[in-house]
Amino acid sequence: MAETAVNFALGKLMSLAWAEAETLSGLEQKFNVIAKELKSMQAFLVDAEEMAEDDPSANNWVTEVRSIAYRIEDVIDEYTMLQETKHQSSNIISKAARSLHHMPALHRLASSIKHIKAEVIDINRRKENYNFRKYIAETGDSSSSGRGAAAAYPSRVSALYAEDSDLVGIDDRKADLIKLLDLKSDYRTCSAIAVVGMGGLGKTTVARRVYKDGAVGLNFPCRAWITVSQSYSPVSLLRDIMRQFRETAIKITSINTRMEPLEAPEEAGDVDTLIDKLKNFLLDKRYLVVFDDVWNVELWERVKFAFPDQGNGSKIIITTRDEKVAESWKRSIESYVYKYRLRPLSAGEAWSLFCNMAFPGAYNKLCPIELEQLSLEMVSICEGLPLAIVAIGSLLSTKRKIVSEWQSLHKNLRFHLQNNSQLKDIKRILFLSYHDLPYYLKPCFLYFGMFPEDYSISRGRLVRLWAAEGFLERGRGKLTAAEVNEVAEEYLTELICRNLIQVSEWDITRQRPKAFRVHDLLHELILHKLKELKLCQVSQRACKVDKEYRRLSILSSTADATFYNSDRKLSIRSLFLMRAPERLAKLIVQGSFFKVVHLLKVLIIEGAAVAHIPDAVGDLYLLQYLSIRNTEVSKLPKSIGKLTNLQTLDLRHSPIFQLPTAIKKLHSLRYLFAYWQSDDTRTGLQLPTGVLLNFKELQKLSCIDGSQAGGVIHELKYLKQLRKLSITNLKTEDNSVLCKALESLDQLQRLEVISSGGSEFFDLQDIASHPPLLRRLSLHGPLRRFPDWFANLSNVVELYLVLTGSYLVEDPLKILQTLPNLAQLGLLGGYIGLGLYVRSTGFKRLKSLLLWNFPEVNTIIIEKGGLPILEELVLNEFPRLKNVPPGIRDLKNVTGLTLHIPEAIYDESDPIFKLISKVYFLDGWDVVEGAPTHL
């Protein structure tokens, strides 16, 4: 990370020298000297950081380099902030006054640069005291592989997530656990299975495959998956269980009106109340609950009374790395508990897994003969731990397949694996993957430590945060909006291919990862590195803020932070306050708080009891990312207009419905998110007239209130960079204005429009030319007829049409099935015809089809050849349907098929029902479940 800090400092130094050459003419020579010395250090930093892991003196030198780089960044940011305040002065007199006021600050800058220059020269001179090159010659070359790795294997992103074929040994372990569930036995007593093993053996992976298995799902329709981890709250845990069970209840009660749905978890109260609610709900149900990653021996004692034993074969599975936890559950559960010890992979399994990861593109994934001995030795060191094997194999997949390069890694591997503890062995391997990262990826990877354990972060949010932090680079210039996404894609691909981050959610329509997380062991490693590098102080309990840290992350409502010496400013660049406690929330709304953290680039206040934001927030001139999600804030101060560097403003789920006029000064704004969701109603944001004329860089706008007076809808046409647009409460009279605006939005990829309801019909016929890059379209409201341009949506992959209140007489599938790239289609209501017809050439790329609320349709015809790659089909609320579509028999790829039909057409003897996952009856609440033969 010293290498990263030096590169950041160099970039800032040279940018300032170029931008302020006239003002800083006397310092130009000093800047050049500092830059020259820093560049001289760069050649040694990769080697020095590797050596610093085991050599205290080398570690001291690296720490000095990192500290001086941070000081350079601080000095430059202080100066930049002063310049911002000067440029924001409204007239010549005030500008002159501010210039005089800032003269002492400029002198302090000159003095600081002078001292920094002397220190840099001294630090650089002392590098000769360390035999970095000799160290590397003895242990192997540790140079980074660079960006080429991502480009070499772009297809691996999909393969690593979507396919199980590379997960050697998992089928046998999964079969073992399913056998222990005893699905067909008459033995109906509630029992538990404790899956035990050290970290990295794949306990969660095996348990998850069992949990998602089709046969298991049929036997346990009421299920919950709970990730416990080391720090957990019994109330939060029980509420999570309640939430998952409530989703099941909602599905059932949508058919069974006699059944009272489970109460919303946030309304259920304390632990005792939650336990009572869960127990009553489960009394007549067969359930499966998985407690994943259990550390606390007291967990079961706290929650066991919520799970009644009704003699119906309900099961509980826990995964834990601690034998004591498994034994405690065995003592606490009155019925039978089986302890399943997950063993390391056998030598053959380990070798197969290694080859799958290290040689993904080779014929039969075979290891070249010249690399076989080296590979066998590295696999042997892993001792059958899948996590270690995958990490090393993936790292080697990015290397050239030549002996010298593998020998170098092999020597370095042994150097790092000399401690006795197996857990430390795993960490050593993960350290290898970390050290092999190029400098620009290290902060991106470590950034996951700023979020809670097991936290899944969306792709878009992660990219916006990386951009605000300055992690994304291509040369020394400022990235355009398009370049930000391109570089971020490269970074994410490389981190995934190295198995350093996991895909937690997959975008089926775009065939790419949608959200990410890191493994618990990696998260633990990251926290250690963040502390060691003073990169971020992460706290889930009370702490004193250390002035040496660059970032602060408060992640729990039980945490707290004390900003001692409050008159002394801190150098933190990012502040995460997620579920901040009351005392800290009160501190936030004090103006003095923002004076302490004046150099912030990222400020996240989420889930906190904060009711207002003070004017002092406008003094955070360097701020680029501001999130006030899920708070009680209802109004932004006018000073928000001073944040001219702000790129992201996220106000979602906070009751902010209007923005001050000063918002129009945010010329750098790229992302504006603000809406309030209540049940099925979404309230958008009212914008001041003329504000959109200033947002030339805006890429995402979600969502605005279309009913407001003025020309906001008309102003949309000026947003030439807009890629996502969401509008709610649109009136019919503004349809034509919206159509004209859409003709100008050439970059638009996602559009959501919600009508104001009632008699407000969509009339979108007037679009002469729809946005050519449009990929996702969602319309909520009555439609008189399908616009002609629908037939030309050649790039649309996702389409949702909620057309309740329409009276369409023409089959809506007629035009939609011709769209060449459509992958997901949801169609709800609005059609009064009698039949739906899928031609043999229809929906060639559709994977998911949801048809809902067609009260008049009595016939659905699917010609052979239609829907050739469909995976999911849901036919919901077809009360007049005469029979199940016979064409379902030809849908060979369907793995999820749900029907909501009249009970009269259900014939248990009909072979077609063996293909259907679930059948719901409209005139009852019974659910008939089967296992699709194509599974």
Side-chain angles (χ1 to χ4, degrees):
M1 278 299 295
E3 182 188 12
T4 304
V6 166
N7 273 279
F8 284 172
L10 271 172
K12 283 183 171 291
L13 193 66
M14 302 316 295
S15 296
L16 179 65
W18 179 80
E20 303 285 340
E22 183 176 348
T23 305
L24 303 173
S25 57
L27 299 177
E28 185 178 0
Q29 187 271 338
K30 293 183 176 66
F31 282 167
N32 290 334
V33 171
I34 293 173
K36 181 180 178 181
E37 297 292 326
L38 290 177
K39 288 177 181 178
S40 177
M41 294 180 199
Q42 279 183 306
F44 294 86
L45 276 173
V46 175
D47 306 338
E49 289 193 277
E50 186 74 11
M51 183 176 176
E53 291 293 326
D54 300 280
D55 188 329
S57 59
N59 185 59
N60 290 337
W61 185 82
V62 170
T63 300
E64 288 186 59
V65 174
R66 187 171 60 245
S67 297
I68 199 69
Y70 286 162
R71 281 183 57 197
I72 293 171
E73 184 182 3
D74 289 345
V75 168
I76 294 174
D77 282 349
E78 291 274 7
Y79 176 77
T80 302
M81 192 172 68
L82 288 172
Q83 290 298 93
E84 287 280 351
T85 61
K86 183 177 74 173
H87 294 323
Q88 288 187 7
S89 300
S90 57
N91 54 63
I92 296 176
I93 295 177
S94 60
K95 284 184 178 181
R98 282 187 178 271
S99 296
L100 290 173
H101 177 71
H102 291 160
M103 286 303 293
L106 187 58
H107 288 304
R108 287 196 299 271
L109 172 68
S111 177
S112 297
I113 291 296
K114 180 180 178 180
H115 288 96
I116 287 172
K117 172 189 169 185
E119 289 186 46
V120 168
I121 292 173
D122 178 63
I123 294 172
N124 192 28
R125 176 185 56 79
R126 286 189 286 110
K127 75 176 184 292
E128 304 301 333
N129 297 338
Y130 307 96
N131 295 320
F132 293 136
R133 293 302 178 188
K134 181 180 178 181
Y135 166 82
I136 294 304
E138 293 174 350
T139 60
D141 185 7
S142 63
S143 60
S144 297
S145 59
R147 296 186 188 181
Y153 302 99
S155 63
R156 291 192 63 227
V157 177
S158 298
L160 287 174
Y161 181 74
E163 302 294 336
D164 284 345
S165 58
D166 289 339
L167 300 178
V168 178
I170 196 171
D171 289 338
D172 291 341
R173 291 156 176 80
K174 173 184 172 183
D176 288 343
L177 287 180
I178 291 179
K179 184 177 180 180
L180 290 172
L181 288 176
D182 213 11
L183 301 181
K184 298 181 180 180
S185 173
D186 293 330
Y187 184 74
R188 290 311 203 188
T189 303
C190 178
S191 58
I193 302 170
V195 184
V196 185
M198 66 171 296
L201 282 176
K203 301 180 296 296
T204 298
T205 301
V206 175
R208 190 70 178 176
R209 294 304 189 281
V210 171
Y211 180 80
K212 296 177 74 68
D213 181 81
V216 172
L218 294 177
N219 279 270
F220 302 98
C222 194
R223 293 177 294 165
W225 176 282
I226 306 299
T227 301
V228 182
S229 299
Q230 288 172 291
S231 58
Y232 74 94
S233 162
V235 171
S236 298
L237 185 146
L238 289 167
R239 283 179 176 172
D240 194 12
I241 297 172
M242 198 171 184
R243 177 186 60 78
Q244 294 186 50
F245 283 155
R246 185 170 184 261
E247 291 174 358
T248 302
I250 288 174
K251 292 178 181 178
I252 297 174
T253 53
S254 65
I255 306 155
N256 176 21
T257 56
R258 294 170 294 175
M259 179 178 176
E260 183 179 351
L262 188 60
E263 184 178 0
E266 60 270 16
E267 300 171 359
D270 58 13
V271 171
D272 292 337
T273 304
L274 286 163
I275 287 175
D276 288 339
K277 293 288 184 182
L278 282 169
K279 181 179 180 179
N280 292 333
F281 176 74
L282 292 174
L283 280 177
D284 59 346
K285 298 174 180 63
R286 193 172 188 223
Y287 57 85
L288 170 65
V289 182
V290 180
F291 292 97
D292 181 46
D293 198 18
V294 180
W295 292 76
N296 196 308
V297 296
E298 300 172 356
L299 171 63
W300 180 245
E301 291 295 331
R302 296 184 180 185
V303 302
K304 66 180 181 181
F305 295 109
F307 304 101
D309 184 359
Q310 297 298 301
N312 60 0
S314 295
K315 294 289 192 300
I316 291 170
I317 297 176
I318 72 165
T319 71
T320 180
R321 64 182 68 181
D322 193 336
E323 292 276 351
K324 292 182 294 183
V325 171
E327 289 295 335
S328 70
W329 281 57
K330 195 170 185 178
R331 290 191 299 268
S332 298
I333 297 179
E334 296 178 359
S335 54
Y336 185 77
V337 177
Y338 188 93
K339 186 162 63 175
Y340 181 79
R341 289 186 177 89
L342 200 61
R343 302 295 184 184
L345 299 177
S346 67
E349 290 172 332
W351 177 248
S352 296
L353 178 59
F354 175 82
C355 290
N356 285 347
M357 308 311 297
F359 311 105
Y363 177 71
N364 284 340
K365 300 179 181 178
L366 295 177
C367 174
I369 189 66
E370 67 272 16
L371 298 177
E372 188 168 309
Q373 186 57 39
L374 283 169
S375 299
L376 284 170
E377 290 178 12
M378 285 187 276
V379 171
S380 177
I381 293 171
C382 294
E383 297 181 345
L385 296 174
L387 180 65
I389 296 167
V390 169
I392 292 179
S394 297
L395 187 151
L396 288 169
S397 72
T398 68
K399 300 293 185 182
R400 293 178 297 171
K401 306 304 182 283
I402 58 176
V403 173
S404 61
E405 200 161 321
W406 284 49
Q407 281 178 333
S408 171
L409 181 62
H410 178 256
K411 291 177 181 178
N412 204 26
L413 180 64
R414 288 200 175 277
F415 175 82
H416 281 280
L417 297 177
Q418 50 189 320
N419 291 335
N420 294 326
S421 169
Q422 284 184 305
L423 187 58
K424 289 183 179 178
D425 285 346
I426 296 176
K427 286 187 176 182
R428 287 291 190 180
I429 294 170
L430 296 176
F431 265 119
L432 260 183
S433 296
Y434 167 77
H435 285 306
D436 193 68
L437 288 174
Y439 75 88
Y440 53 84
L441 279 182
K442 288 181 178 178
C444 296
F445 170 62
L446 295 179
Y447 210 72
F448 282 87
M450 295 185 65
F451 297 93
E453 188 180 39
D454 295 316
Y455 189 87
S456 180
I457 180 171
S458 70
R459 180 192 200 91
R461 190 183 195 193
L462 185 62
V463 170
R464 291 189 288 272
L465 284 167
W466 282 355
E469 293 279 4
F471 293 164
L472 305 176
E473 64 172 43
R474 179 176 285 169
R476 290 296 182 196
K478 183 179 179 180
L479 296 179
T480 65
E483 289 174 332
V484 163
N485 291 298
E486 290 172 6
V487 175
E489 181 75 21
E490 294 175 17
Y491 287 14
L492 287 168
T493 299
E494 192 161 354
L495 288 173
I496 294 170
C497 287
R498 291 169 179 266
N499 277 274
L500 284 172
I501 64 175
Q502 299 175 348
V503 177
S504 56
E505 189 175 353
W506 187 258
D507 187 335
I508 187 175
T509 59
R510 306 184 74 176
Q511 285 298 295
R512 72 175 193 180
K514 188 176 182 179
F516 309 91
R517 64 179 297 276
V518 291
H519 189 280
D520 287 351
L521 288 174
L522 277 172
H523 194 269
E524 183 181 340
L525 165 64
I526 289 172
L527 292 178
H528 173 77
K529 294 301 290 185
L530 290 176
K531 182 177 181 180
E532 174 190 325
L533 301 172
K534 301 292 184 182
L535 199 61
C536 180
Q537 185 173 1
V538 181
S539 178
Q540 297 196 31
R541 55 185 63 88
C543 71
K544 287 187 176 181
V545 178
D546 191 327
K547 59 182 175 57
E548 295 184 15
Y549 280 91
R550 310 299 287 180
R551 292 167 182 84
L552 174 63
S553 182
I554 306 294
L555 300 177
S556 171
S557 58
T558 60
D560 206 345
T562 301
F563 294 82
Y564 62 92
N565 294 332
S566 58
D567 292 336
R568 183 172 181 178
K569 295 180 179 180
L570 299 174
S571 296
I572 61 174
R573 297 308 198 275
S574 300
L575 180 57
F576 283 26
L577 299 171
M578 305 176 80
R579 305 185 299 276
E582 184 176 355
R583 194 200 69 82
L584 194 54
K586 290 180 179 179
L587 177 63
I588 292 170
V589 300
Q590 297 176 7
S592 58
F593 170 80
F594 292 107
K595 293 180 180 178
V596 176
V597 293
H598 65 304
L599 296 179
L600 280 182
K601 290 184 176 180
V602 174
L603 176 58
I604 295 178
I605 305 172
E606 296 183 0
V610 177
H612 77 278
I613 300 297
D615 289 338
V617 73
D619 296 331
L620 302 176
Y621 297 106
L622 303 181
L623 198 66
Q624 296 192 35
Y625 188 108
L626 175 59
S627 175
I628 315 174
R629 292 173 63 170
N630 194 24
T631 69
E632 298 172 12
V633 176
S634 60
K635 184 179 181 181
L636 291 181
K638 295 179 180 179
S639 62
I640 196 79
K642 296 162 67 176
L643 303 179
T644 55
N645 291 302
L646 195 66
Q647 294 185 359
T648 299
L649 180 58
D650 192 343
L651 310 173
R652 283 174 284 192
H653 307 297
S654 289
I656 299 176
F657 306 117
Q658 293 182 325
L659 293 180
T661 305
I663 200 79
K664 65 176 61 177
K665 298 178 182 179
L666 305 184
H667 301 290
S668 299
L669 198 64
R670 292 180 177 178
Y671 310 97
L672 175 56
F673 305 107
Y675 56 79
W676 178 265
Q677 190 79 33
S678 177
D679 296 326
D680 294 330
T681 303
R682 177 178 296 185
T683 304
L685 189 68
Q686 293 194 358
L687 296 176
T689 301
V691 69
L692 295 182
L693 302 178
N694 298 281
F695 291 168
K696 304 297 185 183
E697 298 292 322
L698 199 64
Q699 289 190 62
K700 294 188 177 183
L701 177 58
S702 176
C703 68
I704 60 172
D705 187 342
S707 68
Q708 65 190 88
V712 172
I713 301 298
H714 174 76
E715 293 170 15
L716 290 171
K717 67 181 182 182
Y718 297 105
L719 304 179
K720 301 298 184 181
Q721 302 300 319
L722 199 64
R723 294 190 292 115
K724 176 183 177 180
L725 172 62
S726 178
I727 304 173
T728 186
N729 212 16
L730 184 71
K731 295 182 177 180
T732 303
E733 62 198 62
D734 291 321
N735 280 193
S736 60
V737 180
L738 176 61
C739 289
K740 292 300 180 184
L742 291 175
E743 293 175 7
S744 302
L745 303 182
D746 292 339
Q747 301 300 312
L748 193 66
Q749 298 179 24
R750 186 171 182 176
L751 173 64
E752 179 186 41
V753 184
I754 303 173
S755 77
S756 58
S759 60
E760 301 289 345
F761 274 77
F762 280 129
D763 186 1
L764 304 177
Q765 188 64 38
D766 293 338
I767 297 181
S769 176
H770 69 276
L773 302 180
L774 193 65
R775 293 176 57 85
R776 298 184 177 189
L777 175 61
S778 179
L779 300 178
H780 297 245
L783 192 67
R784 298 189 187 280
R785 67 186 181 92
F786 279 105
D788 294 339
W789 53 271
F790 262 42
N792 300 321
L793 296 174
S794 58
N795 290 317
V796 167
V797 296
E798 186 176 301
L799 181 61
Y800 289 100
L801 303 174
V802 181
L803 305 179
T804 304
S806 305
Y807 298 94
L808 301 173
V809 295
E810 186 176 9
D811 183 355
L813 301 187
K814 180 179 180 181
I815 185 172
L816 299 180
Q817 63 187 294
T818 64
L819 303 183
N821 290 299
L822 191 62
Q824 280 190 315
L825 172 61
L827 188 58
L828 195 156
Y831 175 53
I832 60 174
L834 302 180
L836 294 171
Y837 185 58
V838 178
R839 298 192 300 271
S840 61
T841 58
F843 294 118
K844 286 298 184 183
R845 295 197 176 183
L846 199 68
K847 292 187 175 182
S848 175
L849 175 60
L850 168 62
L851 301 176
W852 194 303
N853 190 19
F854 289 83
E856 302 301 325
V857 170
N858 56 40
T859 304
I860 300 176
I861 298 175
I862 304 174
E863 286 188 353
K864 189 171 184 178
L867 301 165
I869 64 171
L870 192 72
E871 297 175 359
E872 179 186 28
L873 174 61
V874 177
L875 304 178
N876 209 329
E877 296 187 15
F878 282 78
R880 297 182 185 274
L881 198 63
K882 295 179 179 179
N883 54 55
V884 177
I888 287 178
R889 294 187 178 91
D890 299 317
L891 305 180
K892 303 301 182 183
N893 294 300
V894 169
T895 57
L897 208 165
T898 302
L899 300 185
H900 194 184
I901 57 176
E903 187 174 5
I905 70 173
Y906 175 72
D907 182 358
E908 186 176 1
S909 64
D910 190 339
I912 197 170
F913 284 99
K914 295 181 180 180
L915 306 175
I916 299 172
S917 305
K918 293 183 179 181
V919 179
Y920 296 86
F921 298 139
L922 285 171
D923 45 0
W925 60 271
D926 294 330
V927 178
V928 180
E929 296 183 328
T933 58
H934 305 314
L935 278 176

